[in-house]
């Protein structure tokens, strides 16, 4: 039996670049050592931990002698290659001091878009955990191209969490959590300790990236939270350098911001999660209020009559976003019409569509079995 079978205690912890490297850009060995201490402690308590590690490009700049972040792709990928080596050395050494082996797992979006590769990645992670090793996961920035990047490791951590069926996803950040406003600019800003739904009001609280070495800000963390909550997985954002932050988050203590899915344990099917979290999005369907209610409250398929407009160029079978009248992403799914056909059928009933497209007489825009509702 794999370590991912049954009700296994797996936690995914994502470490941000600004937390992992020191002022010079080198890996902060003292901090990484403290995280490895916590990983070892959780392991002794029967908890498997997967580390999703940023910081490779930043560490590589320091190792290769760049004084500032390069702008050309070959130099950025060279930094990633050198930084991966530097970070892996530190993780391996610090975990070995605590009697714990580790294994490096590098992923591109291509590895999780392809169903067979997705399952292979899951099997590799499961076997490492089964052998008592800590997987250290990062995006393979040395070969990634824009179409196949995750964008930031917050989403990579969310995809890994869904892939392994984690019981908790923890983002160890350089901030305390989600605030009602930017605490650096607004002294009245307060920490939001509990979130059970990602609302437009909540999204408005999130600003851009706040670090010169990282790629993600609070907005990217909310996107990750929406994804793992759809998978039935809670998530915590907390300050990674706080004492025993990972252990405390794992133990359910009040630390940072905890995102709790409304229906704990009612996880979406693996195919839906694969569609919604891993696949490359090719377009957008805008829907009316009636369609929104049908898919969010009744679990219905999305019908062409509920589509008000379409964006992008996509083929039948591609993945698209579903957006409501307020511009909020409602879900993501496999569309059953091309973008050209969707322009023709949007707003029409299936009965009318069947008169000029008989093969589509019973075809929804997105079937509910292939629609992940956020």
């Amino acid at each position: 039996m794999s370590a991912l079978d049954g009700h296994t205690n797996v936690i995914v912890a994502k470490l941000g670049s600004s937390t992992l490297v020191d002022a010079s850009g080198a890996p902060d060995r003292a901090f990484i050592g403290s995280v490895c201490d916590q990983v070892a402690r959780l392991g002794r308590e029967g908890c498997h931990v997967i580390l999703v590690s940023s910081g490779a490009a930043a560490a590589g700049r320091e190792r290769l002698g760049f004084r500032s972040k390069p702008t050309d792709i070959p130099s950025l990928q060279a930094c990633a290659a050198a930084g991966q080596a530097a970070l892996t050395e530190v993780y391996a050494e610090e975990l070995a001091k605590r009697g714990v082996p580790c294994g490096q797992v590098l992923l591109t979006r291509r590895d999780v878009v392809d169903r067979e590769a997705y399952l292979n990645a899951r099997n590799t992670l499961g076997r490492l955990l089964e052998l008592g090793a800590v997987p250290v996961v990062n995006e393979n920035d040395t070969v990634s191209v824009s179409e196949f990047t995750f964008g930031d490791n917050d989403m990579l951590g969310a995809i890994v969490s869904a892939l392994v069926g984690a019981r908790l996803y923890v983002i160890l950040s350089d901030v305390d959590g989600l605030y009602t406003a930017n605490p650096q600019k607004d002294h009245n800003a307060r920490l939001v300790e509990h979130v059970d739904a990602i609302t437009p009001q909540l999204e408005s609280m999130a600003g851009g990236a706040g670090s010169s070495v990282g790629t993600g800000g609070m907005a990217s963390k909310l996107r990750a939270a929406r994804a793992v909550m759809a998978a039935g997985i809670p998530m915590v954002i907390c300050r990674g350098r706080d004492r025993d932050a990972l252990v405390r988050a794992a133990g359910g203590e009040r630390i940072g911001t905890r995102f709790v899915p409304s229906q704990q344990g009612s996880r979406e099917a693996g195919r839906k999660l694969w569609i919604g979290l891993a696949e490359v999005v090719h377009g957008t369907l805008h829907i009316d209020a009636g369609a929104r209610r049908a898919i969010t409250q009744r679990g219905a398929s999305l019908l062409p009559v509920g589509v008000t407009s379409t964006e992008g160029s996509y083929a039948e079978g591609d993945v698209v976003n579903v957006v409501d009248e307020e511009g909020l992403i409602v879900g993501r799914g496999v569309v059953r019409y091309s973008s050209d056909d969707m322009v023709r059928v949007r707003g029409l009933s299936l009965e009318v569509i069947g008169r000029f497209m008989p093969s589509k007489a019973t075809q929804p825009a997105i079937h509910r079995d292939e629609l992940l509702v956020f």
Side-chain angles (χ1 to χ4, degrees), residues 155-234:
M155 184 54 74
L156 174 58
I159 290 173
V160 170
S161 297
L163 186 151
V164 302
R167 77 161 174 88
L168 178 67
Y169 175 33
V170 182
I171 295 180
L172 299 174
S173 182
D174 58 355
V175 295
D176 294 317
L178 173 67
Y179 279 85
T180 55
N182 187 337
Q184 297 177 343
K185 299 179 179 179
D186 186 347
H187 296 300
N188 295 319
R190 58 180 180 81
L191 181 68
V192 179
E193 295 186 353
H194 182 93
V195 173
D196 55 20
I198 307 297
T199 63
Q201 179 185 7
L202 203 68
E203 290 182 315
S204 70
M205 299 177 187
S211 166
S212 61
V213 295
T215 58
M218 192 55 66
S220 77
K221 291 171 176 55
L222 288 188
R223 287 193 294 271
R226 179 191 285 114
V228 293
M229 289 170 77
I233 300 170

Side-chain angles (χ1 to χ4, degrees), residues 71-79:
T71 55
D72 63 292
I73 297 298
S75 294
L76 288 169
Q77 294 182 325
C79 288

Side-chain angles (χ1 to χ4, degrees), residues 282-337:
H282 293 273
T284 300
L285 300 184
H286 294 268
I287 63 173
D288 60 27
R292 188 188 197 284
R293 285 193 298 272
I295 64 176
T296 60
Q297 297 177 20
R298 300 200 302 272
S301 297
L302 174 61
L303 300 179
V305 69
V307 178
T308 57
S309 65
T310 175
E311 294 178 26
S313 176
Y314 48 84
E316 179 181 345
D318 282 344
V319 170
V320 297
N321 280 333
V322 178
V323 175
D324 68 12
E325 294 173 312
E326 296 180 358
L328 185 67
I329 296 179
V330 176
R332 186 171 293 162
V334 176
V335 68
R336 296 196 172 185
Y337 295 80

Side-chain angles (χ1 to χ4, degrees), residues 106-126:
L106 298 178
L107 298 173
T108 65
R109 186 181 281 272
R110 183 185 282 112
D111 296 320
V112 291
V113 167
D114 179 82
R115 182 62 175 171
E116 184 176 353
Y118 177 95
L119 293 174
N120 286 339
R122 185 180 189 276
N123 291 337
T124 299
L125 291 168

